[in-house]
Amino acid sequence: MSGSDAHFSVNTRLTRLLGETYRSSEAALKELVDNAWDADAKNVWINLPSPMTSEAIVVRDDGAGMTSLEMQNEYLNIASDKRARTGERTPSLKRKVKGRKGIGKFAGLSLANRMDVIAVARGRKCHLSIDKMALTENENDLESVPLPFLEEEAASDEVGTTIVLSDLDSRLNFPTADRFRELLVHEYGREDSFKVFVNDDQLSVEDVPGVSKQVEEVLAESGAVRLRFTIAPTLKSPSKVSSTSTA
């Protein structure tokens, strides 16, 4: 295991992020899910703490991860735009990139006073720690703030990135699983290649908010069929998401 300090490359955009207000804590967390999508992850697991506890929020994916050089030269380069480097599509699965230009990856700092980033790629594990207090105290010279950085050998089957948000800001609304699932379901609820788990429960169309109904019919050729659909109001127009099963 080797330890050292890492540093931000450009500070102007991070300074803006530290003062940014998301419309909800769930909206800030969605940025981290978008980053898992951009990393070509097939699964992302979000564990939200129980209310009134000091537990951490953990966001873990099985995407491409990051090497030591990628973490220090790209992840910590606030002005680095992934779209400019790799294009509008992800390298492996050719997904349309969702994450905001170089800044959404630090959205966790709007929720927590400490953010740990553990990334595994090509047999190596990197662990970066970011202390929000140290950043706010040195917002005019963020490049000089030392960020503890460790690198060690990883298990052969390890892959992906884990974000741990601890010492949550008590001034913000506590993130809840139900609100978070409702926020995610319209975008990711029907993505077969990207499974989202919130507190171990997989996101599905059943998480769509609205009025749900179920109809059962017996068809001559298929037998009993059950149709469940949800009418979900939106700002633009009502939308329907349905699922069909045969008994």
Side-chain angles (χ1 to χ4, degrees), residues 54-208:
S54 58
E55 299 169 358
I57 295 172
V58 180
V59 180
R60 178 172 63 90
D61 70 57
D62 58 0
M66 288 178 283
T67 64
S68 174
L69 286 177
E70 288 169 339
M71 185 175 282
Q72 297 190 62
N73 295 340
E74 297 179 11
Y75 187 83
L76 290 176
N77 187 343
I78 311 304
S80 177
D81 182 356
K82 186 174 182 179
R83 290 180 177 85
R85 297 194 313 271
T86 63
E88 294 288 334
R89 298 283 174 175
T90 61
S92 177
L93 299 179
K94 305 304 178 184
R95 296 167 173 167
K96 186 174 181 180
V97 173
K98 293 179 182 289
R100 292 193 300 159
K101 299 180 179 180
I103 196 170
K105 57 197 173 188
F106 298 110
L109 291 174
S110 67
L111 297 174
N113 291 310
R114 178 185 171 98
M115 184 169 77
D116 288 270
V117 183
I118 303 98
V120 182
R122 294 182 277 287
R124 302 294 293 175
K125 177 186 290 186
C126 302
H127 187 154
L128 174 73
S129 297
I130 303 176
D131 185 332
K132 184 176 179 178
M133 183 65 69
L135 300 183
T136 54
E137 290 177 349
N138 297 273
E139 62 180 359
N140 294 322
D141 190 17
L142 293 181
E143 292 171 286
S144 67
V145 178
L147 306 173
F149 185 86
L150 295 173
E151 183 180 5
E152 60 183 330
E153 186 175 352
S156 59
D157 59 344
E158 281 190 271
V159 68
T161 301
T162 300
I163 308 290
V164 181
L165 305 174
S166 54
D167 190 11
L168 302 182
D169 191 336
S170 60
R171 296 171 297 178
L172 299 177
N173 291 331
F174 201 86
T176 69
D178 288 343
R179 288 199 302 262
F180 193 38
R181 294 168 74 89
E182 288 182 6
L183 179 64
L184 294 172
V185 70
H186 289 288
E187 195 162 346
Y188 293 118
R190 303 170 81 177
E191 288 288 350
D192 294 334
S193 68
F194 186 68
K195 294 180 173 60
V196 181
F197 299 84
V198 180
N199 288 349
D200 296 325
D201 290 330
Q202 185 178 345
L203 195 70
S204 72
V205 294
E206 294 186 1
D207 292 306
V208 174

Side-chain angles (χ1 to χ4, degrees), residues 27-39:
L29 281 178
K30 183 183 178 296
E31 298 271 11
L32 303 183
V33 176
D34 291 343
N35 286 333
W37 166 274
D38 291 346

